[in-house]
Structures are given as structure tokens and as C-alpha cells.
Amino acid sequence: MPRGGLTRPEALDSNLDVSGMVDPDGGLVDRRIFSDTAVYRQEMRRIFARSWLFIAHMDQFQKPGSFFQTYMGEDPVIAVLNKKRQVRVLLNNCRHRGARVCRADEGATKNFICTYHGWAYDLDGNLVDVPAQEAYASDFNPADWGLVSAPRVESYKGLIFANWDANAEPLEDALGDMKWYIDAFMDRDPEGTCVVGGVAKWVLEGNWKLAAEQFATDWYHVNMSHASALMVLSPTGKGPKKEIAMRTGVQFTDDRGNGAGFPVHPRNRFDAQPVHEYYDYDFLRERLSPEQVMGPLTNGHATVFPNFSYLPVNGSIRVWHPKGPNKMEVWSWTVLDKSMPEEVRRAQRLYNLRTFGPSGIFEQDDGENWSECQANAHAFMIGNTALNYQMGLGTETQRDGFPGTTSGLYSDAAGRGVYRRWRELMSTPAWHETPAENQAADPAELQQEPLGA
């Protein structure tokens, strides 16, 4: 073990009692949870340090040395395929002075070298070279100073997640009934999925929870917020017919904060005509289920708690990276079925860019809404005014063919589920707060379980 030791004052990591700031049963939320810095820092400790967080798609790692730089909360990490073709997730932070050891967004490499003093790490994060190592004491051991690695890395349907909690429940258990809804998007093709077009990134003024909750619960905003976009996309230029605009459907929620909503209709279809014509809906009813095809296969929205969301109709997956209580970075991928021919891939990719790309006609509306909600959240009277999440309160039920707890399409049920889970985690000590005899106090001591590519 390395010599020396540190003791941090408890006041630096003190926690607030936020249990009274969310009332999921009454449908009320304290607006200060979106703007308070102390609340935000506690989210980093008690939500992002213990939850399964989306990292990347498996298709991004084609050969040993392939890497992708991303974040877990505000912690920069590198996902890299090692020589055993296992995906490792390493904290992008040199153990010497704390500089990043990787500055490229993605690529391929044989090792990571800190440009400050030259400490070098291999694809597993082991410290393999220290310039002037003879200047250190004789008991200096490079094996003690490798990059911190996430102890848990697992995938589902090509989606890679990582967790800092070595004893976290398995990813598939954390997803629970949400897997059925994900399958309708990610398991349409026996050959799996791939990503195209790189990763689009942009910054928004707004708290990360505003975006995560909308994708979990909010079909309600569509006809109002996206009225002009719907007019542009409609054949007449006047917007969709009333029976299309006022669709009925299902909203899903669970006790882990996951949520999804979608219209339900036997004639649901993909919006891009080449994509619609490509799919064999009868085949999909056999591969998946009739309920998935007339529901979450196409139109809809979903969030895997805390900050991973997706839109099946245009193949969009995204992460809401928190950047303080008032700002987020949006990272977006286009995911396609591997079997899609090139002309269908192109149609879906372009449709995604037109609608939910950085300058997409729907994306612009959403970003404006979140920024507007955040603009004066710090004001005194506004900060002391409760927010209403009571739509559909008391209508939660079980619906045949659709797993989990369901509500109507126009409902805040999944939003209440998001904040119920948020309150639970924010009010419960995390793995790094438990006694040392039960957990490794130093994340560097945790051993990652390998994920094969």
C-alpha cells in the first residue's frame, strides 16, 4: 500500500435533508431542487456516484485501443477496449497532479500519457512508466498508482453503462420492466444496432432534471410547444388532424425512476417514409410482440434514470450531462438497425438531424422551454413556489400487455416516479458513506468486472 493518508473534514461532504422537497404522492416539487448548489453537489455524491450511467454504444469499439471520452456526472472518464477485448471505464485523471491523460474525444491508442509530467498508463489503467522514477523512495510502487476504474461495467442490447458502486444491483435488475420498452427500440434487428454520424454535442441553460423528466413523462407539451414543427411536417401545412394530434396511449413508470410514454394504435408507423417502407411490421410482431409494435416501437419518449433518454421514431439516444445546477451538455447519437440498407440509414439519420439534432425543429423548442424554466429559478418568490406534477394523479394501474405501472399518455406519473427515486437516493447514504469495513474507502481499490465487446 502507498505510504501516507488523508482525512477529509466531514463538513465538505455534509448532506441536506431533502425529503420534504419532493411530494410524489401529492404531486408537488420544490423548485429549489433545480437551482440550489448544495442540492446539486449532493446529487453528484448520492445519485451519480451510485447509479448506472450510460457510457457509449458497443459499436464505437471496433479494435483493442479504441476509446471514447465521456462523463459520469461531472467526472471525466475514458471508455477503452483493452487487449482482451474488454471495455474498461477509467477515470480520466492522472494520479500524479490530476491532469487528464486523454484529451481527444475518441480514437485509438496503445496507452495514455499525461502531458504534464509523462506518467503513462496502459489500456487497463495500469501505471507503466514514470519518468525519473529513481527519484522516488524505494518503496514507491507503480501498481499502487493506476487510474481509478469503474468497478462495474455492463451492457444491455449494445448500450454500455458503468457504476462506481461495486455492490450495485446488476444493470438488468436496475432496468427491470424498462427492458421491455428498450427492446422495442434496440432489439428490432436480429443483427443488433450500430451508431452513425458521430456524437452531436451542445450546451443548454437548464438543470439536467428538466430534460430527463420530460423524456420520461411529458407528451403533454407536444401540441403546444411543437405546434409550428408539426405544421411544417404535416402534408397540408396546417398541422395534424385532431385525431392524430390528440392521440391516446400509455405511460410507464417504475420504482427505479425509469419512465416511457407513447401513443398506442395498430397503425403506428415510422415518420420517415423510407424507414416506414423498410420495416416488416408482421415480422416485428413475431420477434417482439403486438403490444410493442402498436406502442413503444415507433413514436414515444423514454428515460433510464438518471440521465439517459431516447426517441425510437428517429433513432436518437442522448445523455444529459450535468454541468452545475443551471447548465447541461446534451450528447446525442443516431442508432440504426445493422441490417438497414444505406438509403434507409441515410433517411433515418437525416430525419433525426432535422427533428432532434442540435438545430432540429423539435429540439430547439425543448431547449427553449428548459432555459425559460431555469432563467429565473433563483428568484426568491419563484424559488418558494411549488411546482405542480398532479396530472393523472391516482390513475396509475396495470395494463394488459404492457409491463410495469402504467398511466394515460397525458400524465405526470413517470415524472412523479423520477422524483420519488430522486428523493430516495438523495435521502440514503451511498456506498462511499458506509463504514470502511463494508466497502473499499478508496475507489482505486475497487476491481472492475470486465465487459467483453
Side-chain angles (χ1 to χ4, degrees):
M1 294 293 292
R3 65 170 67 189
L6 302 173
T7 302
R8 175 178 295 169
E10 292 183 4
L12 290 179
D13 292 325
S14 60
N15 291 299
L16 303 171
D17 180 3
V18 300
S19 58
M21 300 182 77
V22 171
D23 178 11
D25 296 327
L28 299 176
V29 170
D30 188 327
R31 187 162 181 167
R32 288 286 296 276
I33 72 169
F34 300 102
S35 60
D36 188 88
T37 300
V39 169
Y40 174 80
R41 298 312 307 171
Q42 190 162 319
E43 289 176 342
M44 296 299 106
R45 296 190 296 270
R46 286 194 166 177
I47 292 180
F48 287 89
R50 76 197 309 181
S51 297
W52 284 104
L53 304 177
F54 178 73
I55 299 297
H57 190 286
M58 194 70 79
D59 188 48
Q60 295 176 255
F61 305 94
Q62 295 296 319
K63 60 182 181 180
S66 298
F67 69 86
F68 176 69
Q69 185 182 174
T70 184
Y71 292 89
M72 296 176 68
E74 286 202 34
D75 286 305
V77 296
I78 312 162
V80 59
L81 192 66
N82 68 10
K83 293 180 179 179
K84 297 180 180 179
R85 300 194 66 85
Q86 301 165 342
V87 176
R88 306 277 290 179
V89 175
L90 310 172
L91 194 63
N92 191 3
N93 182 69
C94 182
R95 297 295 303 281
H96 182 232
R97 290 294 187 271
R100 288 182 299 165
V101 299
C102 177
R103 300 188 187 182
D105 291 342
E106 57 188 317
T109 188
K110 294 181 179 179
N111 49 43
F112 300 103
I113 302 175
C114 179
T115 57
Y116 194 178
H117 296 92
W119 281 30
Y121 304 85
D122 66 16
L123 300 180
D124 289 296
N126 299 309
L127 180 60
V128 294
D129 187 62
V130 177
Q133 183 175 332
E134 64 276 6
Y136 285 85
S138 60
D139 62 352
F140 173 80
N141 184 359
D144 295 330
W145 297 99
L147 298 178
V148 174
S149 64
R152 301 288 296 279
V153 181
E154 299 177 17
S155 70
Y156 185 74
K157 305 298 182 183
L159 304 173
I160 301 171
F161 291 77
N163 198 317
W164 293 117
D165 184 355
N167 292 329
E169 62 179 343
L171 172 63
E172 293 202 22
D173 291 348
L175 293 175
D177 287 330
M178 188 70 187
K179 296 195 299 291
W180 186 88
Y181 300 91
I182 294 174
D183 289 351
F185 173 32
M186 299 296 296
D187 198 27
R188 300 186 294 238
D189 187 344
E191 294 187 23
T193 58
C194 59
V195 293
V196 296
V199 183
K201 305 175 183 179
W202 61 98
V203 177
L204 290 176
E205 300 296 324
N207 187 274
W208 67 272
K209 295 188 291 299
L210 293 170
E213 70 152 66
Q214 176 176 302
F215 274 63
T217 199
D218 196 343
W219 189 272
Y220 185 37
H221 78 287
V222 172
N223 291 327
M224 182 67 185
S225 294
H226 302 312
S228 59
L230 294 173
M231 291 175 64
V232 170
L233 293 177
S234 68
T236 65
K238 297 179 181 180
K241 297 179 181 179
K242 183 177 180 180
E243 59 268 26
I244 296 177
M246 300 304 294
R247 300 286 296 276
T248 59
V250 169
Q251 190 172 122
F252 157 79
T253 184
D254 67 11
D255 60 3
R256 293 176 174 84
N258 305 315
F262 43 87
V264 173
H265 194 279
R267 298 181 63 185
N268 273 352
R269 51 165 289 171
F270 288 87
D271 290 349
Q273 187 68 21
V275 179
H276 166 64
E277 294 174 350
Y278 164 75
Y279 277 111
D280 181 342
Y281 292 95
D282 289 334
F283 167 77
L284 292 173
R285 290 184 185 94
E286 291 292 328
R287 177 170 177 80
L288 299 169
S289 71
E291 289 80 10
Q292 285 166 304
V293 173
M294 66 182 184
L297 179 78
T298 54
N299 272 304
H301 49 82
T303 291
V304 175
F305 187 88
N307 66 328
F308 172 71
S309 299
Y310 64 85
L311 298 164
V313 73
N314 54 3
S316 176
I317 63 174
R318 64 260 310 282
V319 175
W320 319 104
H321 286 304
K323 298 297 177 183
N326 303 299
K327 185 180 292 185
M328 64 179 121
E329 280 190 19
V330 188
W331 289 22
S332 175
W333 293 249
T334 300
V335 175
L336 305 176
D337 291 353
K338 280 188 178 180
S339 297
M340 278 183 171
E342 185 56 39
E343 64 272 16
V344 180
R345 289 188 177 202
R346 183 175 185 275
Q348 184 73 321
R349 181 175 63 83
L350 292 178
Y351 180 72
N352 186 23
L353 288 174
R354 285 195 297 268
T355 55
F356 283 94
S359 59
I361 56 177
F362 289 93
E363 191 72 50
Q364 292 291 303
D365 297 332
D366 289 337
E368 179 70 16
N369 285 336
W370 301 328
S371 296
E372 177 64 21
C373 290
Q374 195 71 26
N376 48 19
H378 289 271
F380 175 73
M381 290 301 297
I382 288 174
N384 284 280
T385 303
L387 298 177
N388 183 300
Y389 286 76
Q390 295 177 341
M391 177 175 275
L393 191 65
T395 66
E396 295 86 349
T397 186
Q398 306 293 317
R399 177 164 173 163
D400 290 343
F402 296 91
T405 300
T406 61
S407 185
L409 182 61
Y410 295 95
S411 175
D412 289 329
R416 292 189 292 272
V418 167
Y419 293 114
R420 181 178 285 108
R421 179 61 168 168
W422 180 91
R423 184 180 68 174
E424 176 188 358
L425 294 183
M426 289 284 282
S427 303
T428 308
W431 61 271
H432 51 85
E433 300 173 279
T434 56
E437 60 269 20
N438 296 329
Q439 292 281 357
D442 184 352
E445 298 176 17
L446 304 175
Q447 298 298 313
Q448 176 181 308
E449 297 180 3
L451 170 66

